[in-house]
């Protein structure tokens, strides 16, 4: 009789603590997203990604060392954005997560799960450190249904 009474009294207190913790974590996440959006690194990345919006992007890889974008029409790299050369000297998984969230929000095509598949993977470094990466990969059904009028990458040989 005492144990169910303790559960009835303690459960709402624990639930209130969890709700408070989740609310504070969400506020911190939004604050970190706002700081990342205002950084010069992200503004440079956004400008380069915005220039690629007319191309068919096969993969968007976000790793702790940078962002790599490959083309769907030709197997070439469209963008190789290095975080270290653009103002971020620390390699961390939080930056990867924040950049992935911001790119998904700013470019809604990556948020479409019928077009792109989101996948997390591990990056093994030479020193034995394991880091996390995020990849937006174009689905085959979307690739085959992509309009041919979209800007394909052209190679010009002089």
């Amino acid at each position: 009789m005492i144990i169910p009474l303790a559960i009835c009294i303690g459960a709402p207190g624990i639930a209130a603590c969890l709700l408070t913790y989740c609310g504070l974590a969400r506020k911190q996440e939004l604050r970190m997203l706002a700081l990342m959006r205002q950084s010069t690194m992200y503004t440079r990345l956004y400008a380069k990604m915005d220039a690629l919006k007319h191309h068919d992007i096969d993969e968007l890889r976000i790793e702790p060392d940078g962002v790599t974008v490959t083309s769907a029409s030709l197997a070439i790299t469209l963008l190789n954005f290095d975080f270290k050369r653009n103002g971020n000297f620390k390699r961390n998984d939080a930056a990867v997560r924040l950049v992935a969230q911001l790119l998904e929000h700013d470019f809604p095509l990556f948020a479409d799960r019928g077009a792109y598949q989101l996948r997390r993977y591990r990056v093994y470094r030479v020193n034995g450190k394991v880091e996390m990466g995020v990849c937006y990969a174009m689905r085959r059904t979307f690739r085959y249904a992509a309009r041919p009028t979209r800007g394909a990458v052209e190679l010009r040989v002089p």
Side-chain angles (χ1 to χ4, degrees), residues 11-25:
I14 292 172
C17 290
L18 286 174
L19 283 174
T20 304
Y21 175 75
C22 289
L24 291 174

Side-chain angles (χ1 to χ4, degrees), residues 13-157:
I14 292 172
C17 290
L18 286 174
L19 283 174
T20 304
Y21 175 75
C22 289
L24 291 174
R26 180 69 181 152
K27 283 182 184 178
Q28 182 181 5
E29 181 83 13
L30 291 175
R31 186 173 41 244
M32 287 171 44
L33 282 170
L35 288 173
M36 181 65 84
R37 186 181 297 278
Q38 294 170 356
S39 69
T40 57
M41 179 195 69
Y42 184 75
T43 55
R44 288 180 190 158
L45 177 62
Y46 179 81
K48 291 181 186 243
M49 287 293 297
D50 194 40
L52 295 176
K53 67 182 175 185
H54 298 293
H55 297 289
D56 286 330
I57 296 175
D58 183 38
E59 274 189 351
L60 169 67
R61 290 187 175 270
I62 305 164
E63 294 181 356
D65 56 349
V67 175
T68 305
V69 178
T70 57
S71 172
S73 57
L74 295 174
I76 62 171
T77 301
L78 296 174
L79 174 66
N80 194 0
F81 187 83
D82 188 16
F83 286 155
K84 189 171 183 179
R85 285 184 289 160
N86 288 289
N88 187 9
F89 296 107
K90 296 182 180 177
R91 297 167 78 149
N92 57 10
D93 292 335
V96 171
R97 182 177 41 80
L98 292 173
V99 169
Q101 286 179 354
L102 288 174
L103 287 177
E104 185 174 317
H105 182 265
D106 291 340
F107 299 99
L109 183 61
F110 296 119
D112 182 11
R113 294 297 169 240
Y116 284 91
Q117 176 185 8
L118 175 63
R119 163 175 76 85
R120 290 180 52 163
Y121 61 95
R122 291 184 178 99
V123 179
Y124 297 97
R125 301 293 174 194
V126 176
N127 62 358
K129 186 176 179 185
V130 178
E131 298 173 341
M132 295 304 294
V134 176
C135 178
Y136 290 95
M138 184 185 286
R139 293 185 184 269
R140 284 188 179 164
T141 55
F142 183 72
R143 181 180 298 148
Y144 297 143
R147 295 176 292 164
T149 58
R150 297 207 34 189
V153 177
E154 297 177 7
L155 295 177
R156 296 184 183 143
V157 179

